[in-house]
Amino acid sequence: MVGPTTDNTLSARHGFSQASEDALNLQINLELSAFYTYTAMTYYFKRDKIALFGFAKYFEEQAKEEKEHAEKFMEYLTTRGGAVKLATLSAPQVDFTSPVAAVEFHLKLEQQVTSALNKLHDIAESEKDSHLSDFTVEYLEDQYKSLKSVSDLLTNLQRAGGEGLGLFLFDKQLQ
């Protein structure tokens, strides 16, 4: 009977360091945490006393994107011969003082994801792992576009007044 081998020379793992694997697992868990947070935010905005369905739709799309990123990182990790190590997710924040506060929180979370992705890229470079380095470039480009988009969203929400009719119209625009 042939069983699993513990000999790393006979695996898909080639030129893939433990530091890279650990950094990828960290990124995966951060992406999943963002997915979890944006899912909670989706349903926060669907509450009967909030009823901002444009924001709910927006955060639902954000959640879907973060989940897709996590899945792509997990697929990449296993393709390179690594092991996915999922961590326990903490309960996300579920109440906000205002939509402006929620979008500010969103921007901070995207900054954290971007910082971790930059660290992953730096580790790939220091480990001379050109494949991982190239893999992260597309995600870095997306993250910087996302930071700009969220920043624009926040600016325009503040410009709309963040409450009353301005908020109502802003929310309708997100639908």
Side-chain angles (χ1 to χ4, degrees):
M1 175 178 254
V2 177
T5 179
T6 57
D7 182 357
N8 278 338
T9 63
L10 300 174
S11 79
R13 190 179 195 103
H14 179 75
F16 186 59
S17 71
Q18 188 63 48
S20 294
E21 181 176 343
D22 292 344
L24 267 166
N25 271 304
L26 182 67
Q27 189 69 36
I28 288 165
N29 284 289
L30 190 54
E31 299 281 349
L32 289 172
S33 180
F35 159 72
Y36 201 42
T37 298
Y38 295 149
T39 299
M41 292 173 84
T42 297
Y43 290 95
Y44 166 80
F45 284 107
K46 286 185 176 185
R47 289 182 189 171
D48 65 338
K49 298 293 183 188
I50 307 297
L52 293 169
F53 301 106
F55 280 95
K57 179 182 174 192
Y58 173 82
F59 282 109
E60 188 171 38
E61 290 167 0
Q62 296 302 304
K64 180 182 175 189
E65 181 180 298
E66 299 300 340
K67 182 177 180 268
E68 287 172 357
H69 288 173
E71 289 170 343
K72 288 177 183 176
F73 281 115
M74 288 187 277
E75 189 64 37
Y76 179 85
L77 180 57
T78 57
T79 298
R80 291 293 305 272
V84 174
K85 296 174 185 156
L86 299 179
T88 302
L89 296 176
S90 300
Q93 182 174 342
V94 292
D95 283 308
F96 300 93
T97 57
S98 68
V100 170
V103 175
E104 288 172 344
F105 182 82
H106 172 35
L107 181 57
K108 289 176 188 170
L109 183 54
E110 287 300 312
Q111 289 170 338
Q112 291 173 351
V113 170
T114 303
S115 292
L117 192 53
N118 272 313
K119 287 178 187 171
L120 174 60
H121 182 77
D122 291 346
I123 288 169
E125 292 287 310
S126 71
E127 296 292 326
K128 297 180 180 17
D129 187 340
S130 57
H131 194 262
L132 177 57
S133 179
D134 289 348
F135 178 78
T136 61
V137 168
E138 172 188 344
Y139 293 96
L140 281 168
E141 289 175 11
D142 285 348
Q143 277 305 125
Y144 283 105
K145 287 177 184 175
S146 180
L147 286 174
K148 172 69 166 103
S149 176
V150 176
S151 183
D152 290 350
L153 181 74
L154 179 59
T155 297
N156 287 317
L157 177 57
Q158 290 168 330
R159 183 176 291 133
E163 59 184 44
L165 182 59
L167 175 60
F168 176 79
L169 294 173
F170 191 87
D171 182 66
K172 289 296 181 197
Q173 184 180 0
L174 290 174
Q175 290 181 8

